[in-house]
Amino acid sequence: MEPIRLNKFISDSGYCSRREADKMIEQGRVTVNGKRPEVGAKVTAKDKVRVDGNQLEVDAVEPVYLLLNKPPGIETTTDTSQRDNIISFTNYPERIFPVGRLDKDSEGLIILTNNGDIVNKILRAGNKHEKEYVVTVDKPINQDFVERMSNGVSILGVNTKKCFVAQEGPTKFRIILTQGMNRQIRRMCEALGYEVQTLQRTRIMHLSLSKIPLGQWRNMTNAEVEELMRLIEHSTKTEEGSKGKKPASEPLAPAKSKKPKQHSSAPAGKQNRTGSSPRSGKSATAGKRDKPKSGGSARGSRGAAKGAAPSGKGRGASGKGGAAKGGRRR
């Protein structure tokens, strides 16, 4: 467990909110290893934290970082009462949530994690983290379309930021965004008189769809997680990252990042019929998704176990040294 703020440690134990924890720290009701800490102090699972003399315990959990190739028809929502939600579809045995959204009709790469600290760092437009898409529209495009899309289009009362756009075929183009406005690409195309037929996200920063079959997921490799943490190290989590930034004078050039290594020991399309279960070997239940987790280092593989998840259908793409195996697509 990486060091976390003391108020978060207390909150994660279920004792009280972070704000109430800060008040108790100021009042001298909290001790760490027998000493009174300052507000803002950090602790780990090894520290003995007591409130009014009672020791608190927080599970030393490892973070989860998954890459899912979302198919069309799946809603990017954590509301499991909603039909075709991404949580039930992924069928992961522990509590996770998506980073950002993909429209129900869209497909492609999406990150799922239990580390809430990275979400806004990835999504804030001011942090300029790239997301790449391949799009087809209902009629032929031309250079005028490419230039207008790349220079910004007026949608939702604002002009979109300049971006990289390249034509890939008569009705197909590639676009790289650092924004994440609601249905941005579809609205941009509509503003120019086009209708999106297919939309696939192929890349988020250095992370690629490569070798992840549609409807399957895999764990990020340790190298991918380390690079992700390096890229967001100086990113802000607040609105400040989206304010006071002037649009670039030229469209963005496509990233030249190295293709992420895939640690696959089996053909990408090979699937089995088992569900994923925690590495501890305990059977997974629906209730495990309600268990919060904190961020830290990359998590390793979870072995397959029959009947591990309620539906019995895991969806992990096979992977070597940390990629979970999953099962049959719906």
Side-chain angles (χ1 to χ4, degrees), residues 137 139-143 145-146 166-173 194:
V137 289
K139 56 187 178 182
I141 61 177
N142 52 30
Q143 188 58 33
F145 171 88
V146 171
Q167 185 168 354
E168 300 281 317
T171 61
K172 185 177 182 180
F173 67 95
Y194 291 78

Side-chain angles (χ1 to χ4, degrees), residues 48 101 107 142 150 174 185 220 254 266 277 324 328:
K48 296 185 183 300
R101 294 180 59 86
E107 65 180 79
N142 52 30
S150 63
R174 183 163 55 100
I185 295 174
M220 283 190 206
S277 62
R328 181 177 59 191

